[in-house]
Amino acid sequence: MKVYFLKQKALDTLEKDIANNIEKYQGTEQWAENYFISKDMPNYYFDTEIEVPDYQLIKGGPETDFKNAKTLYEAFSGKINPVQASDLRLWGYLAHVQHWDYMNIRWKIDAPDDEDDEDADTQGDEQGEDKKTNANKILDRIGFRYFFKASKGKAFVRQGISRLYWSAYLTYDEEHENPYEYTEYFFSKQDIFTSITERSYARNKVLVLATLKALKSHPEFGRTEIRLFLAKLNQAGAIKVLDFLDKEQAEELCSEVMTEVINVKALQEGSKFKAVDNLTGKKYGANLSIVDGKVVAVGKVINTKPQNLIGKKEGTQFIIAGRKYVIKDIK
């Protein structure tokens, strides 16, 4: 099977025309070839002279991700180098042409994305603002899934086809009896997948493998513990240069961070803590306290969701006046 790239001019034209092509992305028919003909670009791709074994992606939802990642990685591994694997011209061609049927089912742009940014879910107070927000979500989904419009650290694992290759690349462990064990685990835990891929070390294979190994050894962890572990690991990057850690150092760091997470305090009657805005990082007023099971600031009860935070650990999200905050520095 030959491997094709979009020509740069074709890719640029397609990317600039996202808003005008929304109905095409909403449809089921493959439309790229007719689109480029209408733009007087019938020769919109070129032959890279790279050949890979024939393969097919399974059409479906998230349950197909692991098998498709394994299939794609085995087809392309050793056939493309890291520079080519980072080239949107390859993934743009596969998403719009070769694997359009797969993309059209797996990443429907009208349906909520299981990896939509949490802060993109905020709705406006007026109907017109709601519509604007929904329209922007659709544009974001196209940009994220068909192009590299996600932030730099996320782009490779948000684009619909490249995410399959890169996720397998980062988690394939040739030293393990089952080299795809962590690949399967990675895709089976949506919280872990989303949280790791939004971190600055998302393309650090050594650290990703060490992280997955640490988390897999604690199946009892919920969303709060997982996010806290990953946040603390990210904070360690301010002290250690994570990209230069070898396997042993990465596993040692993960072990140290895991010990911190296991021993983290939980809120109880009389506890003092800080509430940090989940988006801006700013604190909510002064230190908060738990009095009679309620959150109190400077002697005044603060309404929160959930109302009772007793037992909640550092890193847990809660809401004050419609904004998301995170519990920090419990004393």
Side-chain angles (χ1 to χ4, degrees), residues 23-273:
E23 289 187 4
K24 295 183 177 67
Y25 285 102
Q26 290 172 321
T28 58
E29 297 297 322
Q30 208 286 340
W31 52 272
E33 186 164 347
N34 288 335
Y35 168 80
F36 285 117
I37 290 174
S38 73
K39 294 290 183 179
D40 198 25
M41 286 188 284
N43 300 315
Y44 58 92
Y45 63 91
F46 65 92
D47 186 350
T48 62
E49 297 185 357
I50 299 170
E51 293 198 12
V52 300
D54 288 347
Y55 70 92
Q56 294 290 331
L57 296 183
I58 304 168
K59 301 179 184 68
E63 73 282 354
T64 68
D65 285 350
F66 166 62
K67 289 183 178 180
N68 281 332
K70 181 179 178 181
T71 295
L72 191 73
Y73 182 69
E74 289 183 345
F76 280 84
S77 181
K79 305 295 184 180
I80 58 175
N81 58 43
V83 173
Q84 292 165 326
S86 303
D87 197 324
L88 180 56
R89 294 178 299 171
L90 166 62
W91 307 118
Y93 177 87
L94 292 178
H96 287 88
V97 183
Q98 186 168 329
H99 296 309
W100 164 258
D101 289 344
Y102 164 81
M103 290 290 294
N104 185 249
I105 294 173
R106 178 63 180 92
W107 300 112
K108 291 182 180 296
I109 65 169
D110 292 325
D113 187 329
D114 56 13
E115 292 167 27
D116 269 345
D117 290 336
E118 289 185 7
D119 52 341
D121 290 334
T122 302
Q123 297 295 314
D125 295 328
E126 299 179 4
Q127 185 177 10
E129 190 175 348
D130 282 345
K131 289 182 178 179
K132 181 179 179 181
T133 302
N134 290 332
N136 286 340
K137 283 184 180 181
I138 289 176
L139 290 174
D140 284 344
R141 287 172 192 147
I142 296 172
F144 293 162
R145 294 308 177 185
Y146 288 83
F147 300 93
F148 279 173
K149 285 190 173 292
S151 60
K152 186 177 180 180
K154 297 181 184 179
F156 296 93
V157 284
R158 294 297 295 275
Q159 203 271 356
I161 306 298
S162 71
R163 73 189 290 274
L164 298 174
Y165 173 87
W166 279 103
S167 294
Y169 171 85
L170 288 167
T171 57
Y172 181 88
D173 187 358
E174 59 187 9
E175 297 180 4
H176 204 278
E177 182 177 357
N178 173 12
Y180 289 103
E181 177 180 344
Y182 293 119
T183 310
E184 185 170 16
Y185 177 70
F186 194 40
F187 280 111
S188 70
K189 300 290 185 180
Q190 188 61 44
D191 277 349
I192 293 176
F193 183 94
T194 303
S195 298
I196 287 181
T197 56
E198 68 187 16
R199 305 293 175 182
S200 59
Y201 53 80
R203 295 179 67 195
N204 182 329
K205 182 180 177 75
V206 171
L207 193 55
V208 168
L209 278 173
T211 298
L212 293 175
K213 181 178 180 180
L215 288 173
K216 196 171 188 294
S217 66
H218 288 276
E220 76 280 6
F221 274 12
R223 179 185 179 90
T224 296
E225 289 82 7
I226 290 170
R227 286 185 170 269
L228 179 58
F229 173 80
L230 295 173
K232 285 184 174 293
L233 190 59
N234 201 52
Q235 292 167 7
I239 303 173
K240 299 182 180 182
V241 183
L242 302 181
D243 285 341
F244 290 97
L245 298 179
D246 59 26
K247 179 182 177 182
E248 183 177 344
Q249 291 169 328
E251 291 183 355
E252 182 179 348
L253 175 61
C254 286
S255 178
E256 293 172 359
V257 172
M258 185 62 72
T259 299
E260 290 182 31
V261 172
I262 292 172
N263 294 328
V264 72
K265 294 181 179 179
L267 288 174
Q268 54 187 322
E269 183 67 25
S271 292
K272 296 183 182 297
F273 67 103

